[in-house]
Amino acid sequence: MAPPAAWPFSRRRRLLLGGLGAGIAGILPAETAEAPRRPQHVDKIGSKGGAIVPPLVVSLADLGGVPGAAPEALVRGFERAFGILADAGGGTLLVPPGLYDFGTRSDASPIILCRGARDIAISAYGASFHATTAGKLMPSLFYFFNFSNLTLAGASFFDKGFTPWVDWQGMYCVGLQADAASSGFNMVDCYAERVLGLLSSNNNVTTRSYLKGIKVRGEVRDSYYGVGANYVCGGVDVDLSCHNVRRAFIAYGLKDADIAVRVSCTPDWPGSNGLIALVSEGASMGNVEKVRVRVDVTGACIHASYVHFYHQGPEKRGSMHDIDATVNLMHVEGARTMFTFDHETEGVIARTQRSWDRIRLHGKVAGAFDGRVIANPTVSSVPGTIYLDAKLAALARGEKLAASFRVRPS
């Protein structure tokens, strides 16, 4: 049975409809069949991306997985390679440079499903993985179910069937899921263009304790999501460069995380209600805590806000606390809101018993800015403090803020 999709449609729809029209100033760029534009890092071919694994090296080419091979042969090559490495206790899978086309995908099943991978580095510098999603489907090219010390280095991804609209058509590059202790997944020097997302955690609230230790370094262009890290119990470290993404990072119940995003946008790409979304469905589903976020933005504004502190659902208890968030706007055209605080239960509510506490907000603006620093359509009725540094407070002069927002020196 295929692993489940990352989020039910209704939840994703709520997250996105608020910003669907944001920044759509023209016709979307036409889909293209060109290969990704990213340099192939030929100087790193064969590199393991810093992974420490056993010395065995297995070449995908020796197992029938060569550029130009049929999709079935490519899948078999990967399955055989993972089997050999599992039997040997780990090692490196070398994917030679070239284009690997997995053809048209007409169902949502993972293209390459790997269970129990341990102590494996996939060296894919110069390798470009293509697929064409047909219809409203969300297949993952790689899907890792239960893992330990797994690295994917240098891979590029491209989906000719992707669309950025709310019809959920496109490939996830990597999906993760765990029902046993799993940790140590690393993406290094990876690139994605015209995909639904670079990485998605498909765990849920009942399996949130199993998954931790995710590190992502890469670039995403003309896509929907960057990274989704739902119900990861700790150790999330993301550093992304993005161009035209609707949501660079989203996570439910996030804890112990460091998120850095550099983003540029053009006005012809659809946005969302938050470039970075930190979401809690309530205390029983997982509070958001111990998170650091930094966002550097240039280009056109296509997002309703840049960091969205988003309580969701009917549960009364729940908190977001010990969060440090920075938004730097560098000559952003039409920027609207830097930070948004709200609570939605079938619509945004005016007051909540959920809290925001010990949240520190920083940022700076270069160029014209007539937007808002803070939007807080939902006011919390329980104690909590949100600190603005002095520079942000000066920018926010005249905004009506709840009593929980305090100014402190930079």
Side-chain angles (χ1 to χ4, degrees):
M1 183 174 67
W7 306 290
F9 175 79
S10 59
R11 177 188 292 169
R12 290 175 295 185
R13 186 174 185 273
R14 290 200 303 272
L15 277 167
L16 290 159
L17 285 183
L20 176 60
I24 303 177
I27 300 174
L28 287 176
E31 294 183 6
T32 173
E34 296 177 357
R37 290 168 284 187
R38 179 219 187 192
Q40 295 300 306
H41 292 291
V42 294
D43 58 320
K44 292 187 176 181
I45 290 174
S47 170
K48 295 182 289 188
I52 299 175
V53 296
L56 175 66
V57 177
V58 175
S59 174
L60 187 69
D62 293 339
L63 303 171
V66 296
E72 296 79 7
L74 295 176
V75 172
R76 284 196 303 271
F78 274 103
E79 290 175 345
R80 291 179 62 193
F82 287 133
I84 292 170
L85 291 168
D87 290 343
T92 299
L93 170 55
L94 177 63
V95 183
L99 194 155
Y100 297 80
D101 194 338
F102 289 85
T104 299
R105 314 310 299 184
S106 56
D107 66 70
S109 300
I111 299 171
I112 299 167
L113 174 61
C114 180
R115 297 178 181 270
R118 293 182 178 275
D119 298 321
I120 294 174
I122 304 168
S123 176
Y125 285 96
S128 185
F129 301 116
H130 288 209
T132 302
T133 305
K136 297 180 181 180
L137 305 166
M138 298 178 289
S140 295
L141 199 148
F142 291 103
Y143 202 98
F144 298 106
F145 193 102
N146 293 342
F147 57 85
S148 176
N149 186 26
L150 178 60
T151 296
L152 174 60
S156 295
F157 300 87
F158 188 71
D159 180 359
K160 290 181 282 187
F162 165 74
T163 172
W165 297 98
V166 187
D167 38 356
W168 308 108
Q169 179 170 326
M171 171 181 74
Y172 278 105
C173 305
V174 175
L176 302 178
Q177 190 175 354
D179 63 5
S182 296
S183 64
F185 180 81
N186 301 303
M187 294 187 79
V188 182
D189 292 334
C190 288
Y191 176 90
E193 184 175 334
R194 298 196 73 91
V195 298
L196 193 59
L198 178 63
L199 174 74
S200 175
S201 161
N202 292 330
N203 268 28
N204 56 42
V205 67
T206 61
T207 58
R208 62 185 172 183
S209 64
Y210 295 120
L211 189 56
K212 67 178 181 180
I214 295 174
K215 185 175 182 179
V216 181
R217 299 288 185 270
E219 181 178 355
V220 183
R221 295 180 65 90
D222 299 339
S223 296
Y224 211 123
Y225 291 109
V227 171
N230 291 328
Y231 301 113
V232 180
C233 65
V236 175
D237 185 352
V238 173
D239 191 319
L240 286 181
S241 294
C242 298
H243 176 72
N244 285 350
V245 295
R246 296 192 62 170
R247 200 181 292 280
F249 180 85
I250 180 172
Y252 283 73
L254 184 66
K255 298 181 180 180
D256 183 24
D258 196 334
I259 313 302
V261 174
R262 296 161 300 284
V263 63
S264 61
C265 301
T266 58
D268 53 5
W269 200 256
S272 67
N273 53 4
L275 176 71
I276 308 292
L278 306 178
V279 193
S280 173
E281 293 185 293
S284 68
M285 306 289 280
N287 293 323
V288 177
E289 55 188 280
K290 298 181 181 178
V291 177
R292 184 168 64 179
V293 176
R294 178 187 172 101
V295 182
D296 296 323
V297 188
T298 61
C301 174
I302 65 172
H303 301 93
S305 65
Y306 290 106
V307 181
H308 190 182
F309 298 88
Y310 191 16
H311 283 300
Q312 191 181 86
E315 185 174 338
K316 292 183 178 180
R317 294 177 57 251
S319 69
M320 298 188 187
H321 59 88
D322 295 299
I323 301 170
D324 191 281
T326 300
V327 173
N328 297 320
L329 304 181
M330 292 158 284
H331 303 283
V332 177
E333 302 171 9
R336 286 174 289 170
T337 303
M338 298 172 76
F339 307 93
T340 293
F341 296 79
D342 62 16
H343 183 171
E344 180 182 355
T345 57
E346 301 304 327
V348 175
I349 59 178
R351 298 190 69 82
T352 182
Q353 294 181 42
R354 307 257 194 103
S355 68
W356 295 282
D357 189 27
R358 302 190 300 277
I359 295 176
R360 296 162 296 280
L361 305 180
H362 316 274
K364 60 185 178 181
V365 174
F369 177 67
D370 58 3
R372 303 176 65 183
V373 172
I374 305 290
N376 62 314
T378 303
V379 176
S380 176
S381 60
V382 299
T385 303
I386 303 168
Y387 297 99
L388 286 72
D389 67 28
K391 292 178 182 178
L392 280 184
L395 286 171
R397 187 176 294 116
E399 295 182 18
K400 184 178 180 180
L401 302 176
S404 58
F405 289 82
R406 309 283 177 83
V407 176
R408 69 177 184 181
S410 301

